[in-house]
Amino acid sequence: MQEVFPRAVQRSWQPTISVVVPAYNEATGLDHFHRRLVTSLASLENWEVVYVNDGSTDDTLAVMEAVHRGDDRVAVVSLSRNFGKETAITAGLDHASGDAVVVIDADLQDPPELIPELVANWRAGFDMVYAKRRSRTGDSWLKRGTARGFYRLMRRMGDLKLPEDTGDFRLMSRRVVDAVRQLREQHRFMKGLFAWVGYPTTYVLYDRQARSNGVSKWSYWRLWNLALEGITSFTVMPLKCATYVGLVVALLSVIYALQVIVKTLIIGNPVAGYPSLMTVVLFLGGVQLMFLGVIGEYLGRVFNETKQRPLYLVERFVPSAVKVSV
Ligand code: UDP
Ligand code: MG
């Protein structure tokens, strides 16, 4: 594999487990999060935590650096601006050196206490262990319904099996991490990328907590865009739809034309076509605009990919500990 990110230091000490934590404006809860994380990791010996500061506008970076000063198993990656959670996770994966990597949210919605169980499954031979929500009781029925609809749609459209009721909270073995790191597309639908990689996979059930503080950054508009990202990154089905809708419309118009001809021949031509004409013109105009939009979605993504920009820029990297080998 092409080395996309050079390891900063050659270490004599190798963490077995790396925990990647993307954080955007999480200053208030981060200390508490770290304490709970450390308690949860007590039963594992070699571990590091890679905090990714995703261009926070509050004191998140300062808190992270304070945590690093107090605990040298903590690494801090600070991005040059806010790149979004998916990219922040990618930056974390690039800077993690463990044999297995756990990705977890900083807002304590993913319980760190579950990590030993994820690790146990990894030791039992699984490459990917994802945490599956037992219930979505915290979510409104609208959110639950739309989520279910989305997964059903994804299953129907592509050959990619997305696990339901899971977020990014999961453990990946080194070979899965290296595989995911090779996927450098700009439009990153992480759940899809994780599923695309494959390898022996299992899951662990857990109860999702309400956010410990602050608010979720996911409005319905952002969720809609995430769904679009998921669909356009993994299937060209919407493009194919244009072909079939076009075929059906053409077929219907032939039938309609025949009907018009027959009617004209039998009862003459009283010129009464305005409403039907309007309907057809508006309908066709709408369908054409819609599929232009669909093509635009894909074209825009092709445009973004061709620029080949780096996924993120690192403003500062403080590696975790430790004895640098000489
Ligand atoms: N996050 C991030 N960059 C962003 C938005 C979010 O790194 O642009 C982090 C955030 O700090 C948190 C995690 O991603 O640790 C999940 O974010 P959030 O709680 O807003 O999402 P939800 O839990 O509602 O899916
Ligand atoms: Mg959250």
Side-chain angles (χ1 to χ4, degrees), residues 28 54 63 65 87-88 171 175 182-183 185 197 313 323:
T28 41
D54 188 14
V63 176
E65 287 182 328
T87 305
L171 177 146
R175 61 175 178 173
Q182 287 185 61
L183 312 175
E185 55 231 68
V197 167
L313 294 173
K323 305 123 207 157

Side-chain angles (χ1 to χ4, degrees), residues 24 33 149 194 196 228 254 259:
Y24 174 57
F33 169 82
F194 291 147
W196 182 87
L228 267 190
V254 168
Q259 190 237 5

